[in-house]
Amino acid sequence: MLAGWGPGGAADEDNALKLWYRQPAREWVEALPIGNGRLAAMVFGDARRERLQLNEDTVWTGEKRDRTNPEAPKAVPEIRRLLAQGRPAEAQEMADRTMISIPRVLPVYQPLGDLWLEFGHEPAPGSYRRELDLDTGIASVQYAAGGIRYAREVFASAPGKRIVIRLTADRPGSISFRATMSREADATTEAAGARLILTGQALPKSAPGERETGVRFRAEARAAVSGGRVESAGGQLDVIGADSVTLTIGAATNHREKDLAGACERDLGAASGSYDALRNEHVADHQRLFRRVRLELPADASARALPTDERLERVQQGATDEDLLALYFQYGRYLLIASSRPGSMAANLQGKWNDSLTPAWGSKYTININTEMNYWPAETCNLPELHEPLFDLIERAREDGRRVARFYYGAGGFVLHHNTDGWGHAVPIDGARWGVWPMGAAWLSLHLAEHYDFGRDRRFLAERGYPLMKEAAQFFLDYLVPDGKGRLVTGPSLSPENEYRLPSGEKAVLCMGPTMDTEILQELFGRVVEASEALGIDRGFRAQVAAAREKLAPLRVGRFGQIQEWLEDYEEVEPGHRHMSQLFALFPGSRITQKTPELAGAARATIERRLAHGGGHTGWSRAWIIGFWARLGDGGQAHDNLVALLRKSTLPNLFDNHPPFQIDGNFGATAGIAEMLIQSHAGEIALLAALPRAWGEGKATGLRARGGLEVDVAWSGGQPVTATLRATVDGAHRIRLAPGVRIRTIQEGGRRVRWQSEGASIARLSVKAGGVYRVEFERAG
């Protein structure tokens, strides 16, 4: 039996796209997330006292300010000299004093507050159900109390710019509750008519050197009742004897607005019809995105009949549940829809869901892997417009990045280090062992190249993609230094968060020319050259970039057969480190492929060595490993690590666990599953590129390939049966055929289409924009 999908069908009835539970959330990591990109909430679902923990994506502490270290310009050449002389400990100590920002940390992302609804209900045994329907984007609660059936629906509407809560019962006049809003600190609540109003400011906590300032915010909850009445007193609303109630929540901050009250009135006061109209508008908007992709994997009806937490527990005890993996995949897509919409802030370390005034790592943008991982599924999983907030983040940080590039390094272009925040700061932070890594803008800029590669929108490339990539590349043309061996290297830099040991026994982090830096620059310089050629501009700049690329150090294989992490084959202090930065060229990069067998073999050895020493122990690290194995074509290993992610690093609400919760692992694993099914990074489309035996039959529709294609594929017995290619632009594509399979026929619009064979394993097909090409396969020979 396959996991199905579809409105009103058996799949809906069998919970194929629902997270559901028999009890309310006891803690935050059991609550269910909703969001519209800007507003977000965690829904606990308690029948007695409902809690919605609220977020608005611009509630950041601090301010945009000059955070540069005044000693940096003079120190950078000296730090380079110390590294060249083999004195990294001294270089690191100097960098820590002279390069790290003042203050040393950045502002953080804070919660908006909480909405509390006190009912006092005691659910009848066996009557309670709480769920999140991924297909509609609606969280709901149902239970019976005192012989009455109660129901709640909660959703965050992007077109409606609000969070909506609907309360109903099967007996008139039976809905009564008290509503309050609160925040742990720095806010006050008042009630006015049928409204609750929460106002406050996001002030820093435990942030030495940070001024006592931050974003000012206002949140409003409004109650509209049918039957009954609403009373307000102090900071609370009492709803008494209503037939049904619709609560709407809006919020505004001075990060975006000047008149916060006016903004709330604009969003909540606009005539938008009945609850049904609000709901239908939301569902249509959500499904426009969510229903683009469908995944069917082998399903066990008995497993699907269990609540999600019980299914997860079974897997954690050793059971298999391929259908849960399909649900996890779609949950990742749901989370991106809920946390990243055009016009919103980019998804941060926790997406948009944070309940702490002092969240882990500030719930910021950690751009040495985590923020990038958040957006890995955007293109392959057919949500390209959700990439836009990341591009906005890059542009927001570019202003400070230009200033830091000039001040710290005497370079043009712009630079970002290992973190940025809602204000767009570019300085190195925290400490030299983490912050002195100048590759953030370069890596982020590659997302612009990917967006173009998948969609082939020349206007986007000309107006947004290429200009940002060019500026990121310009910085490195000025920043790279010769190493005395004919190569150009970065530095001072580091291999993110990892440490090496010199032959003397000295431990160090800072270095010149770490492998990941070179791999990122190989990709960036190559993409800049390609974009310049495609646009027919900047021939002189293109030549400079191409010349610099030729001088970058080659990848090296070390004593264990691994890809070296540094220019020298240093001993690793922690061989099982969570970061596997030297494998950037395998994934998400494209320099190591199955066409480079020596490097692919060394990449395999690198992964095996990391895992043998305990690597993959954080959720996001395990998610990265899934992508590595997929790119190596090893579906079995990719599947094993996907299952390990659920067994070791997944919370009851299917959030990824670092620990603590970080959302990047959810997104990374979703992207990894897509890579197991379809790959297009190596100049060809590989169907079922890393299909595990456990997925012997199945179907995927709506995934995307580079070159402007949407791809469907159905398979049986581990081999493709049919594929459908929907072309958005004219082009020629090379399709890699699985061993033992050949194309029987290709049709478009009812007519047969010719293709060219390139040996036994490649078919070359020319497509026209708007064409739908159906490919049928058969066993060869």
Side-chain angles (χ1 to χ4, degrees), residues 11 62 83 110 123 157 162 196 222 324-325 383 386 436 461 463 511 524 536 539 555 560 602 630 697 757 776:
L83 289 170
Q110 287 190 344
S157 171
R162 69 194 75 186
L196 289 172
R222 301 187 179 188
L324 185 60
L325 299 180
L383 299 169
L386 306 191
V436 181
L461 183 66
E463 295 180 1
C511 64
L524 176 63
R539 178 179 297 179
L555 294 178
F560 301 108
E697 60 176 339
S757 295
E776 295 185 2

Side-chain angles (χ1 to χ4, degrees), residues 524-555:
L524 176 63
F525 286 174
R527 294 301 189 99
V528 168
V529 167
E530 292 169 3
S532 171
E533 290 173 341
L535 296 172
I537 59 175
D538 285 344
R539 178 179 297 179
F541 182 75
R542 183 196 318 159
Q544 294 179 54
V545 171
R549 188 174 190 237
E550 288 298 315
K551 293 184 179 180
L552 296 174
L555 294 178

Side-chain angles (χ1 to χ4, degrees), residues 186-199:
D186 309 318
T188 59
T189 304
E190 62 178 304
R195 294 184 298 165
L196 289 172
I197 302 169
L198 178 76
T199 56

